[in-house]
Amino acid sequence: DILQHPMTTLPSEIAGSFLGQSLRFGVVAARFNETFVNQLLSGALDCLVRHGVAASNITVVRVPGAFEVPGALLELGQRGEVDGLVALGAVIRGETPHFDFICSACASGCQSVSQQLRMPVAFGILTCDTPEQAAARSGGKAGNKGAEAALAALEMVDVYRQLKS
């Protein structure tokens, strides 16, 4: 194992920190399935503030549903007032293929926004088969994916800064 060999020079490594002081974040949260999304939002905001982001440096934008999240992320990011973005929503499978179209469009839209803006966009959109799965992932036994997305955004802002310097 190259990492264990004492005579090996290791390649340079970039790793992000979770220090939020002076950072600014935008959070776009869908209203559809609001009970779950509010829990994701609470987790995300708590995570950002616990890591030093001032509440006044967080902008929350509400949109109708997950499909609208990427567009709002793009508009918010283009303002030049945030260092990173967090997408929050909950899509629960129904009886039609609508679920697949919404999930696919939202995921690819968020990725596209990140690439267009050259800015981290953390994906905290739940894509669940049942409301029980959504409850478990929005603060239940599976944790809070909103908090996890916020933590990823914190880390990636620092990674992007290091890569650009």
Side-chain angles (χ1 to χ4, degrees), residues 3 14-15 17 19 29 66 84-85 89 93 113 126 131 135 155 158:
L3 296 177
I14 294 173
S17 76
L19 303 176
L85 295 163
R93 187 179 300 279
V113 169
L126 300 180
E155 182 178 4
D158 191 46

Side-chain angles (χ1 to χ4, degrees), residues 1 6 13 21 31 39 41 48 56 60 63 83-84 95 109-110 117 125 127 132:
D1 184 8
E13 181 176 309
Q21 290 80 2
R31 286 192 316 270
Q39 293 171 333
L41 179 59
L48 293 172
S56 60
V60 177
V63 297
D83 301 300
E95 296 177 4
C110 289
L117 297 176
I125 306 287
T127 55
E132 293 77 21

Side-chain angles (χ1 to χ4, degrees), residues 9-155:
T9 302
L10 295 177
S12 64
E13 181 176 309
I14 294 173
S17 76
F18 302 101
L19 303 176
Q21 290 80 2
S22 78
L23 296 180
R24 303 159 306 158
F25 286 90
V27 180
V28 176
R31 286 192 316 270
F32 198 80
N33 289 318
E34 192 167 33
T35 300
F36 304 120
V37 179
N38 284 346
Q39 293 171 333
L40 295 172
L41 179 59
S42 179
L45 296 175
D46 179 65
C47 177
L48 293 172
V49 170
R50 276 188 297 109
H51 285 86
V53 179
S56 60
N57 284 348
I58 303 169
T59 301
V60 177
V61 176
R62 291 289 196 153
V63 297
F67 186 80
E68 291 79 22
V69 168
L73 289 168
L74 183 60
E75 291 299 320
L76 182 57
Q78 286 179 332
R79 293 169 65 181
E81 299 171 0
V82 296
D83 301 300
L85 295 163
V86 180
L88 300 176
V91 185
I92 300 172
R93 187 179 300 279
E95 296 177 4
T96 68
H98 184 73
F99 170 91
D100 299 309
F101 297 122
I102 296 299
C103 294
S104 178
C106 184
S108 63
C110 289
Q111 181 183 32
S112 176
V113 169
S114 179
Q115 291 169 341
Q116 287 178 59
L117 297 176
R118 300 182 67 194
M119 175 185 297
V121 175
F123 192 74
I125 306 287
L126 300 180
T127 55
C128 300
D129 289 323
T130 66
E132 293 77 21
Q133 290 175 344
R137 288 159 179 76
S138 60
K141 64 182 177 185
N144 188 306
K145 301 305 178 185
E148 290 178 20
L151 195 60
L154 278 164
E155 182 178 4

